[in-house]
Amino acid sequence: ARGVAAAAEGKLGLRHSQQDYQKVYDAIAEKLEQEGYDDGSLAPVLVRLAWHSSGTYNKEDNTGGSNYATMRFKPEAEHGANNGLNIARDHMQKIKDAFPWISYGDLWTLGGVVAVQESGGPTVPWRPGRIDGFEHHVTPDGRLPDAAQAQDHLRFIFYRMGFNDQEIVALSGAHALGRCHTDRSGFEGPWTFSPVTFSNQYFTLLQDEPWQWRKWKGPAQYEDKKTKSLMMLPTDMALVKDKSFKKFVDIYAKDEDAFFKDFSKAFAKLLELGVPTSQFAGDAWKMGSE
Ligand code: CCH
């Protein structure tokens, strides 16, 4: 009976303290650097996993979000937007094997926090409480943004999650990290010159660089005129084409502290979408490495 009670408590996360979660944080942090993989770090793809596992939320009917970690199930794993995230999920499975008591939703969202913080980004308040759901919790395909579209689409998608224009722009700054892969999304290349460092460079580049359509066989994307080594998606470009969005691009390009502060808030909110407050034991924590 004691074993059963312990297992139940383990499932609910009751027995685990901030120090326990800090051990998971440290284990994720320790394995972020991966020589030979992309730009040398798994941080970008872990941020993308945390975001895609949360961004399915619909505030109208309270479905989707990070609570049930439904990307574990084939239908959602196979949604086109999630191409390539098997790499992140497979990597996180090794952490799960070492800490079997953590839920997948907590693990994947904590992974996003570790990745942002360890790449030099802001501290993102985080707390455990997500539970593993079932395949019937999978939401329909099409809830994540389509990079080929523009501002109306961005608003349609992010307003559905409960975000405003300022939060949309702040969250988009995550594209300081990582790159597009032809075999995942069809697009190609990094947004910034330092894709494993979290910074406001995405905004300074959007604001300062001349961008032009890239001439290539792939999907329509922009390249920077000067070096032709960077890219922007049509949805990225919408942030400078739309007046209300552009206002925040200008603020974040000028003031990295403002970006860090707003990103931290919006990302923490994103990671809790769809999780009933009753599942959280208390206020969010500031985790971090020594
Ligand atoms: Fe994103 N993103 N993203 N993105 N994204 C891609 C990669 C990353 C869109 C499209 C794409 C956010 C918002 C949007 C990351 C974080 C965030 C790719 C390339 C596409 C396409 C995938 C590939 O080929 O590997 C669109 C459209 C939007 C609309 O707003 C938000 C919000 C976040 C996080 C807060 C990160 C990080 C990556 C890099 C992944 C990697 O593997 O390097």
Side-chain angles (χ1 to χ4, degrees), residues 37-38 44-45 47-48 51 145-147 154 158 171-172 174-175 177-181 184-185 187 191 233 235 263 267 270:
Y37 173 78
D38 270 5
V45 80
V47 172
R48 187 170 162 241
W51 139 236
D146 169 4
L154 282 182
F158 282 90
L171 285 172
S172 303
H175 283 168
L177 292 178
R179 54 172 61 244
C180 295
H181 306 75
R184 298 182 198 172
S185 60
F187 299 97
W191 289 267
L233 301 163
T235 40
F263 180 84
F267 195 55
L270 172 69

Side-chain angles (χ1 to χ4, degrees), residues 100-165:
W101 47 265
I102 195 171
S103 71
Y104 281 96
D106 282 345
L107 179 65
W108 292 348
T109 53
L110 181 57
V113 169
V114 175
V116 165
Q117 295 187 178
E118 299 301 313
S119 303
T123 303
V124 180
W126 177 90
R127 52 188 169 172
R130 296 159 195 78
I131 55 173
D132 293 334
F134 300 96
E135 186 164 333
H136 69 256
H137 293 118
V138 169
T139 49
D141 197 0
R143 290 202 175 183
L144 291 163
D146 169 4
Q149 300 208 42
Q151 47 267 47
D152 291 356
H153 173 73
L154 282 182
R155 289 201 170 91
F156 174 74
I157 294 285
F158 282 90
Y159 287 3
R160 188 209 68 223
M161 295 176 218
F163 290 112
N164 62 28
D165 286 0

Side-chain angles (χ1 to χ4, degrees), residues 61-257:
D61 60 5
N62 206 27
T63 57
S66 67
N67 198 29
Y68 298 131
T70 43
M71 211 196 294
R72 287 171 299 139
F73 303 111
K74 209 170 158 213
E76 187 169 330
E78 288 182 351
H79 288 170
N82 293 331
N83 280 349
L85 287 179
N86 55 308
I87 295 165
R89 292 194 308 273
D90 290 351
H91 176 75
M92 290 305 253
Q93 184 58 46
K94 292 181 225 156
I95 310 285
K96 170 79 176 169
D97 292 343
F99 303 92
W101 47 265
I102 195 171
S103 71
Y104 281 96
D106 282 345
L107 179 65
W108 292 348
T109 53
L110 181 57
V113 169
V114 175
V116 165
Q117 295 187 178
E118 299 301 313
S119 303
T123 303
V124 180
W126 177 90
R127 52 188 169 172
R130 296 159 195 78
I131 55 173
D132 293 334
F134 300 96
E135 186 164 333
H136 69 256
H137 293 118
V138 169
T139 49
D141 197 0
R143 290 202 175 183
L144 291 163
D146 169 4
Q149 300 208 42
Q151 47 267 47
D152 291 356
H153 173 73
L154 282 182
R155 289 201 170 91
F156 174 74
I157 294 285
F158 282 90
Y159 287 3
R160 188 209 68 223
M161 295 176 218
F163 290 112
N164 62 28
D165 286 0
Q166 173 260 314
E167 292 169 313
I168 294 173
V169 178
L171 285 172
S172 303
H175 283 168
L177 292 178
R179 54 172 61 244
C180 295
H181 306 75
T182 48
D183 57 341
R184 298 182 198 172
S185 60
F187 299 97
E188 185 182 42
W191 289 267
T192 67
F193 290 110
S194 49
V196 298
T197 303
F198 196 93
S199 72
N200 70 338
Q201 204 184 106
Y202 170 80
F203 298 112
T204 55
L205 289 164
L206 258 181
Q207 194 187 49
D208 298 343
E209 289 307 308
W211 296 91
Q212 62 191 16
W213 288 108
R214 175 176 173 180
K215 291 192 183 71
W216 75 319
K217 289 212 172 76
Q221 66 174 64
Y222 293 85
E223 66 184 2
D224 70 304
K225 222 172 184 165
K226 282 188 213 144
T227 72
K228 296 188 159 75
S229 63
L230 303 178
M231 69 96 56
M232 288 289 168
L233 301 163
T235 40
D236 296 310
M237 227 47 186
L239 303 184
V240 284
K241 290 192 171 152
D242 181 277
K243 257 199 183 153
S244 163
F245 284 146
K246 171 82 164 32
K247 188 171 88 194
F248 298 108
V249 171
D250 292 344
I251 292 171
Y252 298 146
K254 242 193 249 112
D255 185 351
E256 190 172 70
D257 289 344

